[in-house]
């Protein structure tokens, strides 16, 4: 996806919407903490990364938002294996 940040929750919701499926994947934070520190870091931590250098260099995004990227994936023709 493009330079607009998206959380895991937003990505999962966008997939559910595009697939016409209910979104029921939320896991309570307390349950994740039961996995220990590694589980917390893996599933709860986030990094806000913005591609400032790419944009400064003139990179043009096909899909600026995660919803646009997911729509493109589902709209792409299916290719037969080689």
């Amino acid at each position: 996806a493009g330079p607009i940040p998206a959380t895991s929750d937003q990505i999962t919701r966008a997939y559910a919407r595009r697939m016409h499926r209910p979104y029921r994947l939320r896991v309570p934070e307390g349950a994740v903490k039961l996995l220990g520190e590694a589980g917390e870091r893996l599933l709860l931590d986030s990094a806000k990364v913005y591609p400032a250098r790419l944009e400064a260099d003139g990179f043009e995004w096909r899909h600026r938002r995660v919803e646009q990227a997911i729509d493109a994936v589902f709209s792409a023709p299916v290719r037969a294996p080689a």
Side-chain angles (χ1 to χ4, degrees):
I4 309 298
T7 64
S8 176
D9 186 62
Q10 291 168 320
I11 294 167
T12 307
R13 282 181 191 277
Y15 269 113
R17 233 185 337 267
R18 185 60 169 89
M19 294 173 64
H20 308 288
R21 298 281 185 238
Y23 174 71
R24 297 185 189 137
L25 199 58
R26 288 197 66 102
V27 177
E29 186 175 330
V32 173
K33 289 185 177 191
L34 292 174
L35 298 173
E37 185 180 339
E40 285 185 56
R41 277 186 290 164
L42 178 66
L43 299 173
L44 298 178
D45 284 358
S46 64
K48 293 188 180 187
V49 179
Y50 190 81
R53 177 71 186 261
L54 285 172
E55 289 207 327
D57 288 346
F59 186 85
E60 293 187 25
W61 300 91
R62 275 190 207 152
H63 315 292
R64 293 190 65 81
R65 305 188 63 79
V66 69
E67 296 85 1
Q68 294 168 332
I70 289 171
D71 285 344
V73 167
F74 280 91
S75 300
V78 177
R79 296 182 186 159

